[in-house]
mmCIF file of all heavy atoms in Angstrom:
data_model
loop_
_atom_site.group_PDB
_atom_site.id
_atom_site.type_symbol
_atom_site.label_atom_id
_atom_site.label_comp_id
_atom_site.label_asym_id
_atom_site.label_seq_id
_atom_site.Cartn_x
_atom_site.Cartn_y
_atom_site.Cartn_z
ATOM 1 N N PRO A 241 -18.850 -0.682 39.042
ATOM 2 C CA PRO A 241 -17.707 -1.551 38.745
ATOM 3 C C PRO A 241 -16.456 -1.164 39.559
ATOM 4 O O PRO A 241 -15.714 -2.044 40.016
ATOM 5 C CB PRO A 241 -17.473 -1.334 37.254
ATOM 6 C CG PRO A 241 -18.793 -0.886 36.717
ATOM 7 C CD PRO A 241 -19.428 -0.093 37.827
ATOM 8 N N LEU A 242 -16.228 0.133 39.750
ATOM 9 C CA LEU A 242 -15.049 0.533 40.512
ATOM 10 C C LEU A 242 -15.176 0.084 41.968
ATOM 11 O O LEU A 242 -14.210 -0.408 42.561
ATOM 12 C CB LEU A 242 -14.846 2.054 40.428
ATOM 13 C CG LEU A 242 -13.559 2.570 41.099
ATOM 14 C CD1 LEU A 242 -12.318 2.001 40.417
ATOM 15 C CD2 LEU A 242 -13.497 4.095 41.086
ATOM 16 N N LYS A 243 -16.390 0.233 42.525
ATOM 17 C CA LYS A 243 -16.617 -0.208 43.905
ATOM 18 C C LYS A 243 -16.311 -1.699 44.047
ATOM 19 O O LYS A 243 -15.706 -2.142 45.031
ATOM 20 C CB LYS A 243 -18.094 0.020 44.272
ATOM 21 C CG LYS A 243 -18.302 1.239 45.153
ATOM 22 C CD LYS A 243 -19.783 1.379 45.501
ATOM 23 C CE LYS A 243 -20.291 2.716 45.027
ATOM 24 N NZ LYS A 243 -21.724 2.843 44.931
ATOM 25 N N THR A 244 -16.743 -2.459 43.074
ATOM 26 C CA THR A 244 -16.569 -3.907 43.154
ATOM 27 C C THR A 244 -15.111 -4.315 42.961
ATOM 28 O O THR A 244 -14.574 -5.148 43.685
ATOM 29 C CB THR A 244 -17.423 -4.607 42.065
ATOM 30 O OG1 THR A 244 -18.727 -4.067 42.113
ATOM 31 C CG2 THR A 244 -17.462 -6.105 42.260
ATOM 32 N N VAL A 245 -14.476 -3.721 41.952
ATOM 33 C CA VAL A 245 -13.113 -4.143 41.603
ATOM 34 C C VAL A 245 -12.107 -3.619 42.617
ATOM 35 O O VAL A 245 -11.083 -4.261 42.868
ATOM 36 C CB VAL A 245 -12.779 -3.680 40.164
ATOM 37 C CG1 VAL A 245 -11.332 -3.925 39.824
ATOM 38 C CG2 VAL A 245 -13.676 -4.396 39.157
ATOM 39 N N VAL A 246 -12.384 -2.450 43.202
ATOM 40 C CA VAL A 246 -11.453 -1.888 44.176
ATOM 41 C C VAL A 246 -12.200 -1.675 45.497
ATOM 42 O O VAL A 246 -12.614 -0.563 45.815
ATOM 43 C CB VAL A 246 -10.858 -0.552 43.666
ATOM 44 C CG1 VAL A 246 -9.746 -0.068 44.575
ATOM 45 C CG2 VAL A 246 -10.351 -0.693 42.239
ATOM 46 N N PRO A 247 -12.361 -2.743 46.291
ATOM 47 C CA PRO A 247 -13.122 -2.615 47.538
ATOM 48 C C PRO A 247 -12.371 -1.824 48.606
ATOM 49 O O PRO A 247 -12.995 -1.281 49.519
ATOM 50 C CB PRO A 247 -13.345 -4.073 47.977
ATOM 51 C CG PRO A 247 -12.344 -4.886 47.221
ATOM 52 C CD PRO A 247 -11.923 -4.124 46.014
ATOM 53 N N ASP A 248 -11.052 -1.746 48.492
ATOM 54 C CA ASP A 248 -10.268 -1.045 49.506
ATOM 55 C C ASP A 248 -10.453 0.483 49.361
ATOM 56 O O ASP A 248 -10.138 1.056 48.330
ATOM 57 C CB ASP A 248 -8.792 -1.419 49.346
ATOM 58 C CG ASP A 248 -7.921 -0.649 50.312
ATOM 59 O OD1 ASP A 248 -8.174 -0.734 51.525
ATOM 60 O OD2 ASP A 248 -7.024 0.084 49.843
ATOM 61 N N ASP A 249 -10.950 1.121 50.454
ATOM 62 C CA ASP A 249 -11.294 2.544 50.386
ATOM 63 C C ASP A 249 -10.116 3.429 50.007
ATOM 64 O O ASP A 249 -10.249 4.351 49.198
ATOM 65 C CB ASP A 249 -11.874 3.007 51.719
ATOM 66 C CG ASP A 249 -13.251 2.399 51.979
ATOM 67 O OD1 ASP A 249 -13.842 1.882 51.022
ATOM 68 O OD2 ASP A 249 -13.706 2.429 53.147
ATOM 69 N N ALA A 250 -8.954 3.175 50.621
ATOM 70 C CA ALA A 250 -7.801 4.061 50.393
ATOM 71 C C ALA A 250 -7.318 3.955 48.945
ATOM 72 O O ALA A 250 -7.008 4.966 48.303
ATOM 73 C CB ALA A 250 -6.674 3.707 51.352
ATOM 74 N N THR A 251 -7.264 2.732 48.424
ATOM 75 C CA THR A 251 -6.813 2.544 47.031
ATOM 76 C C THR A 251 -7.788 3.213 46.073
ATOM 77 O O THR A 251 -7.388 3.897 45.136
ATOM 78 C CB THR A 251 -6.740 1.033 46.687
ATOM 79 O OG1 THR A 251 -5.954 0.396 47.681
ATOM 80 C CG2 THR A 251 -6.140 0.801 45.313
ATOM 81 N N ARG A 252 -9.100 3.039 46.350
ATOM 82 C CA ARG A 252 -10.107 3.614 45.467
ATOM 83 C C ARG A 252 -10.026 5.148 45.489
ATOM 84 O O ARG A 252 -10.090 5.808 44.471
ATOM 85 C CB ARG A 252 -11.487 3.132 45.884
ATOM 86 C CG ARG A 252 -12.516 3.252 44.775
ATOM 87 C CD ARG A 252 -13.809 2.597 45.137
ATOM 88 N NE ARG A 252 -14.332 3.119 46.360
ATOM 89 C CZ ARG A 252 -14.565 2.407 47.459
ATOM 90 N NH1 ARG A 252 -14.318 1.113 47.479
ATOM 91 N NH2 ARG A 252 -15.028 2.975 48.555
ATOM 92 N N GLU A 253 -9.830 5.698 46.680
ATOM 93 C CA GLU A 253 -9.742 7.146 46.795
ATOM 94 C C GLU A 253 -8.538 7.681 46.008
ATOM 95 O O GLU A 253 -8.620 8.711 45.353
ATOM 96 C CB GLU A 253 -9.614 7.534 48.274
ATOM 97 C CG GLU A 253 -9.650 9.027 48.481
ATOM 98 C CD GLU A 253 -9.573 9.402 49.941
ATOM 99 O OE1 GLU A 253 -10.524 9.086 50.681
ATOM 100 O OE2 GLU A 253 -8.543 9.966 50.357
ATOM 101 N N ARG A 254 -7.424 6.950 46.075
ATOM 102 C CA ARG A 254 -6.239 7.360 45.327
ATOM 103 C C ARG A 254 -6.511 7.351 43.820
ATOM 104 O O ARG A 254 -6.133 8.253 43.095
ATOM 105 C CB ARG A 254 -5.062 6.431 45.681
ATOM 106 C CG ARG A 254 -3.713 6.940 45.286
ATOM 107 C CD ARG A 254 -2.591 6.118 45.938
ATOM 108 N NE ARG A 254 -2.824 4.691 45.933
ATOM 109 C CZ ARG A 254 -2.738 3.905 44.852
ATOM 110 N NH1 ARG A 254 -2.390 4.407 43.691
ATOM 111 N NH2 ARG A 254 -2.972 2.606 44.947
ATOM 112 N N LEU A 255 -7.187 6.317 43.350
ATOM 113 C CA LEU A 255 -7.522 6.228 41.917
ATOM 114 C C LEU A 255 -8.437 7.379 41.508
ATOM 115 O O LEU A 255 -8.272 7.976 40.452
ATOM 116 C CB LEU A 255 -8.190 4.897 41.593
ATOM 117 C CG LEU A 255 -7.299 3.654 41.635
ATOM 118 C CD1 LEU A 255 -8.141 2.385 41.539
ATOM 119 C CD2 LEU A 255 -6.278 3.684 40.497
ATOM 120 N N ILE A 256 -9.407 7.685 42.353
ATOM 121 C CA ILE A 256 -10.371 8.738 42.010
ATOM 122 C C ILE A 256 -9.703 10.118 42.031
ATOM 123 O O ILE A 256 -9.921 10.948 41.150
ATOM 124 C CB ILE A 256 -11.575 8.708 42.980
ATOM 125 C CG1 ILE A 256 -12.379 7.434 42.738
ATOM 126 C CG2 ILE A 256 -12.452 9.940 42.800
ATOM 127 C CD1 ILE A 256 -13.490 7.205 43.736
ATOM 128 N N LEU A 257 -8.870 10.374 43.026
ATOM 129 C CA LEU A 257 -8.288 11.707 43.162
ATOM 130 C C LEU A 257 -7.113 11.928 42.217
ATOM 131 O O LEU A 257 -6.914 13.027 41.709
ATOM 132 C CB LEU A 257 -7.822 11.946 44.599
ATOM 133 C CG LEU A 257 -8.925 12.032 45.654
ATOM 134 C CD1 LEU A 257 -8.326 12.207 47.035
ATOM 135 C CD2 LEU A 257 -9.867 13.198 45.328
ATOM 136 N N ASN A 258 -6.329 10.893 41.987
ATOM 137 C CA ASN A 258 -5.080 11.097 41.240
ATOM 138 C C ASN A 258 -4.997 10.364 39.913
ATOM 139 O O ASN A 258 -4.127 10.646 39.103
ATOM 140 C CB ASN A 258 -3.885 10.712 42.119
ATOM 141 C CG ASN A 258 -3.669 11.722 43.222
ATOM 142 O OD1 ASN A 258 -3.732 12.923 43.005
ATOM 143 N ND2 ASN A 258 -3.507 11.236 44.453
ATOM 144 N N GLY A 259 -5.872 9.390 39.690
ATOM 145 C CA GLY A 259 -5.834 8.681 38.406
ATOM 146 C C GLY A 259 -6.247 9.624 37.300
ATOM 147 O O GLY A 259 -7.007 10.562 37.525
ATOM 148 N N GLY A 260 -5.749 9.422 36.108
ATOM 149 C CA GLY A 260 -6.117 10.310 35.005
ATOM 150 C C GLY A 260 -6.920 9.579 33.961
ATOM 151 O O GLY A 260 -7.474 8.511 34.212
ATOM 152 N N ASP A 261 -7.015 10.203 32.768
ATOM 153 C CA ASP A 261 -7.555 9.540 31.581
ATOM 154 C C ASP A 261 -9.073 9.345 31.554
ATOM 155 O O ASP A 261 -9.566 8.593 30.726
ATOM 156 C CB ASP A 261 -6.887 8.170 31.374
ATOM 157 C CG ASP A 261 -5.825 8.237 30.273
ATOM 158 O OD1 ASP A 261 -5.641 9.326 29.685
ATOM 159 O OD2 ASP A 261 -5.179 7.204 30.010
ATOM 160 N N ASP A 262 -9.800 10.006 32.478
ATOM 161 C CA ASP A 262 -11.242 9.795 32.478
ATOM 162 C C ASP A 262 -11.964 10.664 31.449
ATOM 163 O O ASP A 262 -13.019 10.322 30.962
ATOM 164 C CB ASP A 262 -11.844 10.094 33.847
ATOM 165 C CG ASP A 262 -11.522 8.998 34.832
ATOM 166 O OD1 ASP A 262 -11.775 7.837 34.503
ATOM 167 O OD2 ASP A 262 -11.000 9.316 35.928
ATOM 168 N N TYR A 263 -11.380 11.824 31.153
ATOM 169 C CA TYR A 263 -11.977 12.770 30.198
ATOM 170 C C TYR A 263 -13.410 13.137 30.562
ATOM 171 O O TYR A 263 -14.268 13.283 29.704
ATOM 172 C CB TYR A 263 -11.817 12.242 28.759
ATOM 173 C CG TYR A 263 -10.352 12.123 28.436
ATOM 174 C CD1 TYR A 263 -9.694 10.903 28.549
ATOM 175 C CD2 TYR A 263 -9.599 13.267 28.158
ATOM 176 C CE1 TYR A 263 -8.331 10.816 28.359
ATOM 177 C CE2 TYR A 263 -8.232 13.185 27.970
ATOM 178 C CZ TYR A 263 -7.606 11.962 28.070
ATOM 179 O OH TYR A 263 -6.266 11.900 27.882
ATOM 180 N N GLU A 264 -13.638 13.265 31.854
ATOM 181 C CA GLU A 264 -14.884 13.850 32.322
ATOM 182 C C GLU A 264 -14.669 15.359 32.456
ATOM 183 O O GLU A 264 -13.541 15.839 32.330
ATOM 184 C CB GLU A 264 -15.275 13.244 33.679
ATOM 185 C CG GLU A 264 -15.642 11.759 33.617
ATOM 186 C CD GLU A 264 -16.924 11.482 32.816
ATOM 187 O OE1 GLU A 264 -17.675 12.447 32.530
ATOM 188 O OE2 GLU A 264 -17.164 10.311 32.477
ATOM 189 N N LEU A 265 -15.746 16.092 32.708
ATOM 190 C CA LEU A 265 -15.614 17.541 32.874
ATOM 191 C C LEU A 265 -15.709 17.904 34.345
ATOM 192 O O LEU A 265 -16.579 17.425 35.080
ATOM 193 C CB LEU A 265 -16.727 18.268 32.098
ATOM 194 C CG LEU A 265 -16.674 18.115 30.583
ATOM 195 C CD1 LEU A 265 -17.829 18.872 29.921
ATOM 196 C CD2 LEU A 265 -15.337 18.613 30.008
ATOM 197 N N LEU A 266 -14.784 18.748 34.766
ATOM 198 C CA LEU A 266 -14.785 19.302 36.103
ATOM 199 C C LEU A 266 -15.179 20.761 35.903
ATOM 200 O O LEU A 266 -14.572 21.453 35.085
ATOM 201 C CB LEU A 266 -13.363 19.185 36.652
ATOM 202 C CG LEU A 266 -13.038 19.672 38.027
ATOM 203 C CD1 LEU A 266 -13.790 18.840 39.048
ATOM 204 C CD2 LEU A 266 -11.538 19.557 38.271
ATOM 205 N N PHE A 267 -16.213 21.211 36.602
ATOM 206 C CA PHE A 267 -16.657 22.586 36.327
ATOM 207 C C PHE A 267 -17.203 23.272 37.573
ATOM 208 O O PHE A 267 -17.517 22.642 38.582
ATOM 209 C CB PHE A 267 -17.674 22.607 35.174
ATOM 210 C CG PHE A 267 -18.946 21.838 35.446
ATOM 211 C CD1 PHE A 267 -20.079 22.486 35.941
ATOM 212 C CD2 PHE A 267 -19.016 20.487 35.187
ATOM 213 C CE1 PHE A 267 -21.249 21.789 36.171
ATOM 214 C CE2 PHE A 267 -20.191 19.765 35.422
ATOM 215 C CZ PHE A 267 -21.304 20.432 35.906
ATOM 216 N N CYS A 268 -17.308 24.579 37.461
ATOM 217 C CA CYS A 268 -17.804 25.412 38.559
ATOM 218 C C CYS A 268 -19.054 26.137 38.074
ATOM 219 O O CYS A 268 -19.142 26.487 36.890
ATOM 220 C CB CYS A 268 -16.771 26.461 38.947
ATOM 221 S SG CYS A 268 -15.191 25.722 39.373
ATOM 222 N N ALA A 269 -19.965 26.370 38.980
ATOM 223 C CA ALA A 269 -21.179 27.115 38.628
ATOM 224 C C ALA A 269 -21.703 27.798 39.862
ATOM 225 O O ALA A 269 -21.521 27.314 40.997
ATOM 226 C CB ALA A 269 -22.226 26.179 38.049
ATOM 227 N N ALA A 270 -22.373 28.929 39.668
ATOM 228 C CA ALA A 270 -22.966 29.652 40.791
ATOM 229 C C ALA A 270 -24.078 28.792 41.393
ATOM 230 O O ALA A 270 -24.744 28.034 40.677
ATOM 231 C CB ALA A 270 -23.531 30.973 40.289
ATOM 232 N N PRO A 271 -24.287 28.902 42.723
ATOM 233 C CA PRO A 271 -25.321 28.090 43.380
ATOM 234 C C PRO A 271 -26.718 28.257 42.765
ATOM 235 O O PRO A 271 -27.521 27.334 42.823
ATOM 236 C CB PRO A 271 -25.293 28.579 44.829
ATOM 237 C CG PRO A 271 -23.900 29.097 45.021
ATOM 238 C CD PRO A 271 -23.497 29.683 43.696
#
Side-chain angles (χ1 to χ4, degrees):
L242 185 63
K243 257 182 238 163
T244 311
V245 172
V246 189
D248 176 56
D249 290 345
T251 308
R252 201 172 56 241
E253 186 178 294
R254 196 167 42 73
L255 289 170
I256 292 173
L257 293 177
N258 289 315
D261 258 359
D262 286 308
Y263 299 97
E264 293 293 347
L265 296 179
L266 180 65
F267 61 95
C268 304

